[in-house]
């Protein structure tokens, strides 16, 4: 079986484009944040040119993703899945706490307004 060579610049470029779009940014917006030309970002996203280590770090920071995510690492999906699960649990706990607090407060207010029965 012949091994296929991994095209790192292409993979990196596709991931930059994917995460840029997920962040709701245009090439123009991201390139301004990175202080590079839109053309430079475009050739990185197409895999024609590879980014420097410094630029990879800046892209990672601007897109708020770990650098490994920009290389399509399988661990990246696991990282996001775990992060999403933790966030979901956190939000569910916050929602349940708010629901209990609201219910308690509404019951207290209702008790204050209802006439006392003897």
């Amino acid at each position: 079986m012949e091994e296929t060579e991994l095209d790192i610049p292409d993979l990196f470029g596709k991931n930059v484009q994917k995460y840029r779009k997920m962040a709701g940014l245009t090439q123009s917006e991201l390139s301004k944040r990175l202080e590079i030309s839109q053309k430079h970002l475009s050739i990185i996203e197409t895999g024609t040119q590879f980014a420097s280590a410094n630029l990879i770090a800046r892209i990672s920071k601007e897109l708020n993703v770990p650098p490994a995510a920009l290389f399509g690492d399988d661990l990246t999906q696991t990282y996001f899945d775990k992060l999403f699960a933790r966030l979901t649990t956190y939000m569910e706990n916050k929602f349940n706490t708010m629901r209990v607090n609201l219910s308690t407060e509404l019951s207290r207010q209702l008790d204050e307004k209802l006439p006392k029965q003897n």
Side-chain angles (χ1 to χ4, degrees), residues 23-88:
L25 296 172
T26 64
Q27 278 187 344
S28 178
E29 291 166 331
L30 181 57
S31 64
K32 284 178 187 168
R33 290 182 183 192
L34 296 170
E35 299 178 345
I36 62 173
S37 71
Q38 183 176 348
K39 181 174 174 88
H40 187 182
L41 181 58
S42 176
I43 61 175
I44 289 171
E45 287 189 358
T46 60
T48 305
Q49 185 177 358
F50 194 59
S52 67
N54 183 292
L55 185 53
I56 292 169
R58 292 178 14 227
I59 292 169
S60 171
K61 182 179 177 185
E62 285 300 326
L63 296 178
N64 198 27
V65 296
L70 299 174
F71 293 92
D73 189 307
D74 287 340
L75 296 175
T76 302
Q77 189 59 48
T78 302
Y79 168 83
F80 282 118
D81 289 346
K82 287 181 180 179
L83 183 62
F84 183 75
R86 288 178 64 193
L87 181 59
T88 300

Side-chain angles (χ1 to χ4, degrees), residues 91-111:
M91 294 304 294
E92 287 172 351
N93 290 339
K94 284 292 187 184
F95 175 77
N96 286 333
T97 300
M98 288 172 47
R99 186 181 48 79
V100 168
N101 290 344
L102 181 59
S103 178
T104 302
E105 180 62 20
L106 288 173
S107 293
R108 185 189 65 73
Q109 288 182 13
L110 187 59
D111 286 345

